[in-house]
Amino acid sequence: MLFRSFVEPDWFAGVMAMILDEHRGERPLFHVYSQGRAEEFADLGRRFDLRLHLEAGDQETLLNMSRADVLVMSPSGFSYLAAILGEGRKIARTPWWHHLPQGGNWTLIPG
């Protein structure tokens, strides 16, 4: 997931809760790629198992996001590129400012 976007943290928390619900009996680890300080993610860290990747390099971030089993996207060209390169499930907030694929491994959720 890539934070620091135009999306409220509550939207991300809702999607993360949906993923937890879909994986009952498991406790998925959420890798969060963003900028900022760890304290900014404390609330999410109390609710979900997080591994923060703050201020990671662009190449490392793009590579790891594109390899995600489930990529929860921010409305950014960077997230979109990772989604196009990746083969896993993609979850995107709508509306988006351009076309997003529908069906297949794409899930579009209103924001």
Side-chain angles (χ1 to χ4, degrees):
M1 280 176 278
L2 182 67
F3 286 88
R4 293 275 186 182
S5 65
F6 302 107
V7 179
E8 292 296 321
D10 287 345
W11 183 86
F12 287 103
V15 172
M16 293 164 77
M18 178 188 79
I19 292 169
L20 276 180
D21 190 50
E22 293 173 354
H23 293 87
R24 289 187 187 159
E26 301 174 34
R27 187 78 175 161
L29 176 63
F30 293 92
H31 290 262
V32 177
Y33 290 86
S34 189
Q35 298 172 326
R37 299 181 329 258
E39 301 83 43
E40 297 176 58
F41 303 92
D43 184 52
L44 287 175
R46 285 187 285 278
R47 297 174 60 190
F48 307 99
D49 290 337
L50 299 183
R51 178 161 300 148
L52 298 176
H53 305 270
L54 303 177
E55 311 295 341
D58 291 346
Q59 291 178 350
E60 173 190 345
T61 299
L62 183 63
L63 178 65
N64 290 320
M65 287 174 60
S66 66
R67 290 180 173 170
D69 296 324
V70 178
L71 176 62
V72 180
M73 302 166 56
S74 287
S76 70
F78 197 85
S79 285
Y80 184 73
L81 178 58
I84 294 298
L85 293 173
E87 296 179 7
R89 180 178 178 197
K90 294 95 164 137
I91 301 175
R93 180 184 178 271
T94 59
W96 198 278
W97 45 78
H98 58 75
H99 172 75
L100 289 172
Q102 295 184 3
N105 58 357
W106 287 81
T107 302
L108 307 182
I109 299 176

